[in-house]
Amino acid sequence: TEALKIMTDYIFRVLRFRGVFAHFHELNKIVGRILSRVGYEKEGELKGTLKSKKGEYYNDIIYGIVNNN
């Protein structure tokens, strides 16, 4: 969590990006919790866009944060 805070701050302050987005597999719920703790919000889901080696389809979850400063 601390590393993500530092990285996000760097992206906003030094690189001057307006927003940052993260994509992750729907079964990797811990990523969503970490992103939420840092201030990222769920932006949406891409349904059935990730295919496993077994041929099963999963959703791609998208979180984002916007710098309003």
Side-chain angles (χ1 to χ4, degrees):
T1 304
E2 203 55 41
L4 181 61
K5 286 180 187 176
I6 292 167
M7 182 185 73
T8 302
D9 182 58
Y10 177 84
I11 290 170
F12 287 149
R13 283 190 318 102
V14 177
L15 299 179
R16 301 179 141 211
F17 280 30
R18 171 117 168 87
V20 181
F21 298 93
H23 296 249
F24 61 93
H25 190 286
E26 70 177 317
L27 297 180
N28 198 354
K29 296 183 187 311
I30 188 73
V31 173
R33 288 195 294 269
I34 292 169
L35 290 166
S36 292
R37 286 184 198 139
V38 175
Y40 286 69
E41 297 178 354
K42 186 174 180 180
E43 299 283 339
E45 297 183 32
L46 300 174
K47 305 266 186 199
T49 56
L50 301 175
K51 186 176 180 181
S52 73
K53 291 180 182 178
K54 295 179 181 179
E56 300 167 319
Y57 287 90
Y58 295 95
N59 299 337
D60 184 19
I61 311 299
I62 305 165
Y63 273 62
I65 188 169
V66 176
N67 185 4
N68 291 320
N69 296 328

